[in-house]
Structure formats: C-alpha cells, structure tokens
Amino acid sequence: AVALGQTEQPAASPGAEAPEVFTIEKLRSEKNVKRAVFAGVCAANGWRPGRAMTEETFLQAVAAFVGAPMGPASGKEARHA
C-alpha cells in the first residue's frame, strides 16, 4: 500500500538505467564546442547556466543549431528583391 500523498515508484527493470545527465557547461568542455556556438545554442533553446541534460540531447541541439541556415527565412528574401 502507498501512503496518502506518496507515489509508488515502479521497480526499474534490469539493464534499464537512467541516462546520465551533465551540466551544459561540462558537455561544452568535453565535446569541444566553441564558445560562440555554445552561446548560440543556449540562446536559441532558452537554456540558462547550470542546466543539466543528457549528452545525446546536447549534441542534437548543437547539430541542429550548426546546421541551421543563417540569415532570413527564404520567404522573407523574396519580398526584398
């Protein structure tokens, strides 16, 4: 039985470990992400200093930021011509 106000924690299945989380600053350092790219990723995602996440999530966000086109969206370019 579970006491009122408490939730029952499901038993973790063997081999299903919780993913490791690290601060974004530690991930930036370990993955050699340049400061400018790191600042851009943080700004684009609304991340504050000390945020913790998995390495996979961090690397996906960096890849999405680096691969994003620079400048205005293609629809806006056509209007200025």
Side-chain angles (χ1 to χ4, degrees):
V2 178
L4 186 63
Q6 293 181 347
T7 58
E8 188 174 343
Q9 296 294 324
S13 58
E17 292 183 22
E20 277 192 273
V21 294
F22 305 95
T23 64
I24 55 176
E25 293 82 7
K26 180 175 175 136
L27 289 167
R28 180 193 79 80
S29 175
E30 287 181 358
K31 300 301 172 186
N32 297 320
V33 175
K34 294 183 179 182
R35 283 192 221 185
V37 171
F38 179 70
V41 172
C42 289
N45 291 291
W47 296 348
R48 301 269 182 209
R51 180 174 178 128
M53 63 182 55
T54 65
E55 180 178 328
E56 181 181 357
T57 302
F58 178 78
L59 292 176
Q60 287 174 350
V62 170
F65 180 78
V66 172
M70 295 175 82
S74 59
K76 291 181 180 178
E77 287 178 338
R79 289 186 216 147
H80 292 290

